[in-house]
Amino acid sequence: MALDATHAIIHNEGCDLHYCYKGTGPLLLFVPGGNGHGRQFYQLMDRFADRYTCATFDRRQMTASQVAVNKILNPYQQARDIVAIIKALGFAKATIFGSSLGGLLTFVVAAEYPEIVEHMISHEGASFPLLPDYPQVFEWTLSLIDMCNEKGWEAAHAEFRKMFKGYEPAKDGGVPRMKPEADNTINFWKNELLVATTFRPDLDRVKKNGVSVGLMRGVLSEDATYARCTYEQEKILECERWDVPGHHTAFETQCDVFLPHMERMLDVLKKKASQA
C-alpha cells in the first residue's frame, strides 16, 4: 500500500538512512526485521497516526538505505541508526515496536540507550541463544549456511522458510505481505543470518535499566523457534508477555485483528510505568 507520509534521509556512519513519518503526538517508531524495509508497517502507521507521530525506515543495506560496501550485521551500529532517526525527528524519547530481527535490535537500543526508550514492544524478537535447545538451533543455522554456499541462497531460503508457522491460507486469511526486494534477501543471507541467530541481546541489562517492555507471541506461530524465544525473554525481564492473534507478520497481513492487542499493550505499559 502507499502511505501519505513525509520521506526524509539522515546520514549516519556511512549510510543514508531513508525514513518516513506521519501523524502528531509522541513518537512511535517501527523497526523492520530481516526483510529490512519499512513498508510492512504502513498499515499500522496509518491507524496510529491520529495519536502518535509514527515513523519507520529501511534498515542499513536494505531497500533505499544502501552503503558503498555491504558489511556483516552489527547490532550495535544498527541501534545507533535507530537513535539517529529518533534524534532527526526531533524527539528525545520514543516508543519502539520491533518484530523478529527488529525486536532483537530494539532490545539492543533498550540495553545501550535506555534514556530514549519510552516503552518497547518486541513481537517474536530473535534471541536464539536463550533457548534450551540452542545447540541444535545453532547447528541448524550452520547447515543453512552450508546449503547457501553449495546450492545458492534461494535453496537455503526455501528451507529456512519451513520454520515459519501459520502461513497456510486456511490459517492466515490476511492480505498478502509486502515482500522485500531480492537484494534484501541476498543481503540477509550474506551478512545477517548468522548474527541474527547467534547474537544474545543483553536482557539482564535491559531489566536493570528499568525499561518498560512488552513481549508478543503470535498464536499461529505455535512452537516456532522465534516464538519460543518470548518465553525465555519473559523469564529474564519479568514483563508483560502476551499471546496475540496471527503469525510472525500478522501486524501487516492481519492488521485489523492485530491492532487492538497492540493498543491494549501500549495502554498497559503506560499504566504500569505511571505506577512505578
Side-chain angles (χ1 to χ4, degrees), residues 49-87:
D50 61 338
R51 65 211 111 150
Y52 287 95
T53 300
C54 296
T56 191
F57 64 105
D58 296 333
R59 286 196 299 103
R60 176 180 294 265
Q61 299 176 191
M62 296 292 195
T63 307
S65 299
Q66 295 299 312
V67 297
V69 179
N70 283 1
K71 297 181 179 179
I72 191 85
L73 171 69
N74 179 348
Y76 298 104
Q77 182 181 53
Q78 297 221 2
R80 295 193 295 272
D81 288 344
I82 293 169
V83 174
I85 291 170
I86 292 171
K87 291 182 177 178

Side-chain angles (χ1 to χ4, degrees), residues 105-229:
L105 297 175
T106 302
F107 282 131
V108 178
V109 175
E112 301 295 321
Y113 308 99
E115 69 280 1
I116 72 162
V117 182
E118 190 71 53
H119 310 284
M120 67 157 283
I121 297 176
S122 174
H123 176 258
E124 299 186 341
S127 58
F128 290 1
L130 298 177
L131 294 170
D133 59 339
Y134 179 63
Q136 290 75 32
V137 174
F138 178 75
E139 291 192 349
W140 166 78
T141 301
L142 294 185
S143 73
L144 290 175
I145 293 173
D146 286 339
M147 180 180 293
C148 182
N149 292 334
E150 294 167 7
K151 299 182 180 180
W153 70 265
E154 296 95 336
H157 194 64
E159 186 66 25
F160 178 68
R161 289 295 305 172
K162 291 179 181 179
M163 84 164 174
F164 290 84
K165 298 189 176 182
Y167 282 84
E168 302 87 345
K171 293 182 179 180
D172 185 352
V175 300
R177 65 188 182 95
M178 300 184 72
K179 294 184 179 181
E181 294 83 352
D183 284 347
N184 283 21
T185 309
I186 293 170
N187 180 63
F188 176 76
W189 278 94
K190 286 187 175 180
N191 298 302
E192 295 196 340
L193 175 69
L194 184 60
V195 177
T197 54
T198 60
F199 183 86
R200 185 193 190 281
D202 193 346
L203 300 187
D204 293 298
R205 190 173 180 185
V206 173
K207 182 180 180 182
K208 182 178 179 181
N209 289 341
V211 177
S212 173
V213 181
L215 307 172
M216 289 181 168
R217 167 195 165 271
V219 294
L220 290 182
S221 296
E222 299 178 359
D223 62 348
T225 306
Y226 47 81
R228 291 190 290 115
C229 287

